[in-house]
Amino acid sequence: MKNNTRQISSMSFEEALEELESIVRKLEEGKGNLDDAIDSYSRGAELKKHCENKLKDAQVRIDKIVTDSDGAMALEPLKVDD
Protein backbone atom coordinates (compact mmCIF):
# COMPACT_ATOMS: atom_id res chain seq x y z
CA MET A 1 0.00 0.00 0.00
CA LYS A 2 1.55 3.28 -1.12
CA ASN A 3 0.09 5.43 1.67
CA ASN A 4 1.59 3.18 4.36
CA THR A 5 4.89 5.04 4.04
CA ARG A 6 3.31 8.27 5.31
CA GLN A 7 3.61 8.62 9.06
CA ILE A 8 0.15 8.90 10.56
CA SER A 9 1.38 11.04 13.44
CA SER A 10 2.34 13.82 11.01
CA MET A 11 -1.06 13.87 9.28
CA SER A 12 -3.71 16.49 9.83
CA PHE A 13 -7.18 15.34 10.81
CA GLU A 14 -8.42 16.01 7.29
CA GLU A 15 -5.61 14.05 5.63
CA ALA A 16 -6.11 11.07 7.92
CA LEU A 17 -9.87 11.12 7.46
CA GLU A 18 -9.53 11.27 3.68
CA GLU A 19 -7.23 8.26 3.65
CA LEU A 20 -9.49 6.40 6.07
CA GLU A 21 -12.50 7.03 3.83
CA SER A 22 -10.52 5.74 0.86
CA ILE A 23 -9.63 2.55 2.75
CA VAL A 24 -13.25 2.01 3.78
CA ARG A 25 -14.43 2.36 0.17
CA LYS A 26 -11.76 -0.10 -0.99
CA LEU A 27 -12.68 -2.64 1.69
CA GLU A 28 -16.40 -2.28 0.93
CA GLU A 29 -15.72 -3.16 -2.71
CA GLY A 30 -14.33 -6.49 -1.53
CA LYS A 31 -11.80 -6.63 -4.34
CA GLY A 32 -8.16 -7.55 -3.91
CA ASN A 33 -6.41 -10.20 -1.93
CA LEU A 34 -6.74 -11.04 1.74
CA ASP A 35 -3.28 -9.82 2.76
CA ASP A 36 -3.92 -6.38 1.25
CA ALA A 37 -7.31 -6.22 2.95
CA ILE A 38 -5.73 -7.06 6.32
CA ASP A 39 -3.03 -4.42 5.81
CA SER A 40 -5.66 -1.86 4.80
CA TYR A 41 -7.81 -2.71 7.82
CA SER A 42 -4.82 -2.33 10.14
CA ARG A 43 -3.88 1.03 8.59
CA GLY A 44 -7.50 2.12 8.85
CA ALA A 45 -7.60 1.26 12.56
CA GLU A 46 -4.50 3.40 13.13
CA LEU A 47 -5.99 6.28 11.13
CA LYS A 48 -9.25 6.03 13.10
CA LYS A 49 -7.36 6.24 16.39
CA HIS A 50 -5.38 9.25 15.11
CA CYS A 51 -8.60 11.02 14.08
CA GLU A 52 -10.21 10.28 17.45
CA ASN A 53 -7.19 11.72 19.27
CA LYS A 54 -7.26 14.85 17.11
CA LEU A 55 -10.96 15.31 17.91
CA LYS A 56 -10.35 14.83 21.65
CA ASP A 57 -7.57 17.44 21.54
CA ALA A 58 -9.89 19.87 19.77
CA GLN A 59 -12.63 19.22 22.33
CA VAL A 60 -10.25 19.98 25.20
CA ARG A 61 -9.31 23.28 23.55
CA ILE A 62 -12.96 24.17 22.97
CA ASP A 63 -13.87 23.26 26.55
CA LYS A 64 -11.30 25.80 27.75
CA ILE A 65 -13.24 28.68 26.19
CA VAL A 66 -14.91 30.48 29.07
CA THR A 67 -17.24 33.44 29.50
CA ASP A 68 -16.05 36.36 31.62
CA SER A 69 -18.34 37.98 34.18
CA ASP A 70 -19.17 40.70 31.63
CA GLY A 71 -20.18 38.08 29.06
CA ALA A 72 -17.05 38.34 26.92
CA MET A 73 -15.55 35.15 25.61
CA ALA A 74 -12.03 34.32 26.73
CA LEU A 75 -9.67 31.44 26.24
CA GLU A 76 -8.48 29.83 29.43
CA PRO A 77 -4.92 28.52 29.06
CA LEU A 78 -4.79 24.78 28.91
CA LYS A 79 -2.96 23.33 31.91
CA VAL A 80 -1.27 20.08 31.03
CA ASP A 81 0.03 17.87 33.82
CA ASP A 82 3.50 16.51 33.15
Side-chain angles (χ1 to χ4, degrees):
M1 176 180 284
K2 292 177 186 175
N3 288 333
N4 254 349
T5 59
R6 175 90 193 265
Q7 287 292 326
I8 292 173
S9 61
S10 68
M11 292 177 138
S12 69
F13 173 82
E14 293 79 10
E15 291 169 329
L17 184 59
E18 183 178 328
E19 184 178 338
L20 179 57
E21 289 171 342
S22 174
I23 288 171
V24 169
R25 281 191 299 274
K26 181 180 171 185
L27 289 172
E28 286 177 341
E29 289 174 2
K31 297 178 182 173
N33 66 47
L34 181 59
D35 288 335
D36 287 344
I38 291 169
D39 290 344
S40 292
Y41 183 85
S42 181
R43 174 83 173 174
E46 292 174 22
L47 289 162
K48 178 183 174 279
K49 182 177 178 183
H50 178 71
C51 288
E52 288 172 342
N53 288 337
K54 289 278 191 183
L55 288 173
K56 285 178 190 173
D57 291 346
Q59 184 65 48
V60 167
R61 291 173 37 204
I62 290 168
D63 288 346
K64 291 297 177 181
I65 297 174
V66 295
T67 305
D68 292 340
S69 58
D70 62 356
M73 298 295 280
L75 184 60
E76 182 179 299
L78 178 64
K79 295 178 180 110
V80 179
D81 296 328
D82 292 321

